[in-house]
Amino acid sequence: MMKAKAISTLLLYLATLCLAYPATIYKTRYNQYSGLARIADFNPETGEVDNQHEAFDVMLDSTGIFTPAYRYFARIANYHNQEGKSYEIVSGHRKRHVSSTRCGIIFNALNDSNYNAVLVSCHNSHLHDDLLDKRYMEVELVQVRNNKEQVIKSAHIDKNVDMADRLNAIGVDVDHNTVHVLVGNDKLNQLFTVELPAMHNGSHLGLAIGPGARVQVERTVLSYKTNDRRIVNTPWTIEKLNRHFARSQNPYEGYWEYLDRDMSDDVLRLGGRYTIALVATATGYDIIYVSGAQVKKSMWTTGMLKGRLEKTIFTDNFKASWIDATLRPIDLDVQAAFESGVILTVKFPVYKSQVRFSKILDR
């Protein structure tokens, strides 16, 4: 287990820091699916979800997607997928049973009530007729708006997938409005393609576990190209920031400049002595790049997104994500905290590093 954990950490390190394209982010039970929203039915140590409720268990990743082209997939095993057998769920104050349970991946998610998903379930064509019966998997691309589900397209597959209780890969290959749906046990096979409305910048990915399903998630993998500055563009300019801060009553909104760092350059290298701006959002703060880039300096212009701070239950403490000098996100266990209202510390414990910023009070 320790060897596998070390390999997983190495993959995350290479995916975040190396210069090769595309970037790839692996999340497994060995790093407890960093970034995935916790639900009561989820065991992060085993990667298992046992949904005994009437509604879907929706697990969204806190990292937003800003690139129009990416591939996302998960390897999932559903132990409750035998047609003809029922699985108990709680419906109101009563218990009832369901069969043909579903599970899959979520993409283009605004929140846990509005998203697209690829869901799979296993069935028998003639359950009680051994001569005619044929086992198959149904794959559905669905749209959920305000918790109401609509099937956009579906297909049946009976080869190159496991229809018992072992692992299958479920994925999407997104290129702007075009979505390719892929499923397979040993490799991803493209099933069909649909055109969907363009996603919103900052949309989320995740997992969907249907009522009655008992699922083990082996890993999730996100791959995307990072040589496009559009993925971190925002509408902010210096003029807009100045006007916004002039009206702001939030003590943490404003400009912050590099103060100091504690890091080893052979593990994590600072991309510059940054000046940043913090802009409040519904869930925390956007970190906006202002100036100071030294590594890949030509890639950075004022107004680009440098990271995010997400509120926690602890005052002045945040989950954080950081976009490095080569436009790759670092979000594995990143933390941030304000000290005395004028110091912002961003910590990268996986890399045993931190960087501090001080607030500019007279700008």
Side-chain angles (χ1 to χ4, degrees):
M1 178 174 175
M2 291 303 295
K3 182 179 179 181
K5 186 172 183 179
I7 291 172
S8 175
T9 301
L10 176 62
L11 286 171
L12 280 159
Y13 172 83
L14 293 174
T16 304
L17 299 182
C18 70
L19 294 179
Y21 297 103
T24 302
I25 299 175
Y26 297 82
K27 296 190 177 183
T28 77
R29 67 186 178 91
Y30 296 115
N31 57 39
Q32 296 192 340
Y33 298 95
S34 169
L36 280 176
R38 296 290 186 262
I39 55 174
D41 303 318
F42 179 58
N43 183 335
E45 294 183 0
T46 63
E48 290 191 4
V49 185
D50 188 0
N51 183 7
Q52 300 178 15
H53 308 292
E54 190 168 24
F56 267 84
D57 273 344
V58 173
M59 302 171 61
L60 296 184
D61 197 303
S62 60
T63 302
I65 296 295
F66 294 88
T67 173
Y70 63 89
R71 172 177 284 193
Y72 176 68
F73 74 88
R75 280 181 59 80
I76 299 177
N78 183 7
Y79 302 137
H80 288 176
N81 67 356
Q82 298 181 35
E83 192 165 45
K85 184 175 181 179
S86 61
Y87 305 98
E88 187 174 89
I89 64 171
V90 177
S91 177
H93 298 290
R94 297 181 300 173
K95 294 181 179 180
R96 66 182 184 89
H97 292 77
V98 297
S99 59
S100 303
T101 61
R102 299 189 294 169
C103 64
I105 63 167
I106 288 171
F107 65 105
N108 289 3
L110 297 179
N111 50 49
D112 59 7
S113 302
N114 296 274
Y115 55 85
N116 290 109
V118 177
L119 303 174
V120 303
S121 56
C122 294
H123 306 269
N124 292 72
S125 61
H126 297 78
L127 182 60
H128 303 294
D129 189 328
D130 293 339
L131 184 63
L132 297 176
D133 187 39
K134 189 173 184 179
R135 185 90 163 143
Y136 66 91
M137 175 181 286
E138 183 172 28
V139 181
E140 299 172 295
L141 175 63
V142 305
Q143 174 179 280
V144 176
R145 295 292 180 266
N146 298 319
N147 286 321
K148 294 182 179 179
E149 178 185 316
Q150 177 186 358
V151 177
I152 304 299
K153 191 165 185 176
S154 65
H156 291 177
I157 182 172
D158 57 14
K159 296 177 181 177
N160 301 318
V161 290
D162 186 271
M163 291 177 284
D165 56 4
R166 291 184 289 275
L167 291 164
N168 287 294
I170 307 165
V172 288
D173 203 337
V174 178
D175 186 358
H176 293 79
N177 296 61
T178 304
V179 178
H180 306 285
V181 174
L182 311 103
V183 176
N185 53 356
D186 295 324
K187 64 178 182 179
L188 287 166
N189 303 287
Q190 184 173 314
L191 292 186
F192 55 81
T193 300
V194 299
E195 298 293 322
L196 292 178
M199 72 169 191
H200 296 273
N201 266 357
S203 296
H204 296 273
L205 305 167
L207 304 172
I209 314 301
R214 178 171 167 256
V215 163
Q216 183 174 48
V217 186
E218 181 194 70
R219 75 171 76 103
T220 65
V221 181
L222 167 64
S223 300
Y224 56 94
K225 292 184 178 179
T226 60
N227 56 351
D228 187 346
R229 295 197 315 170
R230 291 175 300 173
I231 67 175
V232 290
N233 281 348
T234 77
W236 291 108
T237 63
I238 286 293
E239 293 75 17
K240 289 181 179 179
L241 288 169
N242 288 340
R243 289 196 296 269
H244 178 76
F245 295 151
R247 300 189 300 266
S248 176
Q249 300 297 312
N250 187 315
Y252 296 140
E253 283 197 312
Y255 295 102
W256 298 71
E257 63 183 354
Y258 170 81
L259 178 62
D260 58 28
R261 64 191 174 105
D262 181 8
M263 58 179 56
S264 176
D265 285 346
D266 60 346
V267 176
L268 189 67
R269 183 158 61 109
L270 187 67
R273 293 174 177 263
Y274 296 115
T275 296
I276 58 176
L278 294 188
V279 179
T281 67
T283 58
Y285 296 88
D286 280 347
I287 305 172
I288 305 299
Y289 170 81
V290 177
S291 63
Q294 296 169 337
V295 178
K296 300 289 182 181
K297 183 176 180 179
S298 63
M299 296 173 64
W300 288 91
T301 57
T302 299
M304 295 173 69
L305 186 71
K306 192 61 181 165
R308 284 202 166 95
L309 305 181
E310 183 180 346
K311 296 175 185 176
T312 69
I313 61 174
F314 303 104
T315 303
D316 292 344
N317 284 264
F318 297 79
K319 294 180 182 178
S321 60
W322 184 262
I323 298 173
D324 78 0
T326 61
L327 302 183
R328 293 173 177 80
I330 303 175
D331 62 1
L332 181 61
D333 295 334
V334 183
Q335 306 153 12
F338 292 106
E339 304 170 32
S340 304
V342 293
I343 302 293
L344 170 64
T345 302
V346 183
K347 296 181 179 181
F348 306 88
V350 170
Y351 309 109
K352 299 179 180 179
S353 300
Q354 72 172 36
V355 59
R356 296 199 304 170
F357 298 87
S358 59
K359 190 169 187 187
I360 301 175
L361 299 176
D362 57 353
R363 182 161 178 168

